[in-house]
Amino acid sequence: MAGELPFETPLVKLREKINELEQFGQEKGIDFSEEVARLEERYKQLEEEIYSYISPSQKMHLARHHQRPTSLDLINLIFDDFIELHGDRLFGDDLAIVGGLAKLDGTAVTVVGQQRGKDTKDNIARFFGSPHPEGFRKALRLMHQAEKFGRPVITFIDTKGAYPGSTAEERGQSEAIARNLMEMAALRVPVICVVIGEGGSGGALALGVGNRVLMLENAIYSAISPNGAASILWKDASKADMAAEAMKITAQDLMEMEVIEGIIPEPRGGAHRDYDATAAAVKQELLVQLQELSIMNSDELLEDRYRKFRKIGKYTEQASEAAECSKTDEAVAEPSGEESVQEPEEAHVETEENVVIESSGSGNE
């Protein structure tokens, strides 16, 4: 197993024992087939135990896996005739965001995604997938172009957040993110967003305003990265695992809260185990969602997108209303003795009003 994570260590050790036993049997001419079969069965059981429930902190590490497929990996596997376009026509070309024209089973689309590097040199060039303002403006330029020619927009989200350096702030980082949020909400073409790795902070939201927001099974999506949350809450970024457990950042949590509309399954062990299978699952879901959105006109698409984001957080209001109703019911259910206490209060109010009226009347006289 390449690039295994700490929670996968038992599987790695068991696989090593199986390989050693097979190699020893071949070298010595001894038949260990029964022993190998028993170990293989144990391997399957252990694999089921480990991957049947993956904790939020473990999903965070899977989402950040250095071998996880990037936006360009999926674009090249899912789409045909991809032509990458560059530059924001204002400052420069940000390599942390890639985008261009492509075809999805013959349908012309515009695809935009955040791009991490494959090695240290590539990561430095792409700022580890953290875009500058010109990256967000490039993305928005491509979206406006898609709207002009009636092409659906598909975005791939994979970033820990927008670039936090002074150069980004000098060029208007917050304004660029805010403008993307505002203008994506008003696009008159279908917009589908897919969180393929880590969707963190405003950097993710700047590509995340769509009619449908989907997530890969082991991806995470949050308003702040677990490391950032840990730095704020406990003054210790190393407690990111603890923050991840409490933040409701997994696809399953967000599906339950209706923040996203779909979860795309990954190969057992994570998307990095099988790029082709991951791309096939993403493509299938994109086709389903695109077919559903294609029957809507531009006004219906805007209304659909508006309703999608207006309903987020509604559950907290309902919980609050339920609590208020409960308090009201308790007050109504109090013994009748309370009513006798309330009557003098009402009489007292009336008395005070009479006093006010009388005093004002005497003043006029």
Side-chain angles (χ1 to χ4, degrees), residues 99-111:
L101 314 177
K103 288 184 178 179
L104 179 63
D105 269 10
T107 301
V109 299
T110 290
V111 58

Side-chain angles (χ1 to χ4, degrees), residues 107-127:
T107 301
V109 299
T110 290
V111 58
V112 180
Q114 287 145 342
Q115 178 67 23
R116 295 176 289 106
K118 285 291 191 177
D119 52 37
T120 302
K121 182 179 179 180
D122 197 20
N123 264 319
I124 292 173
R126 298 185 185 277
F127 299 99

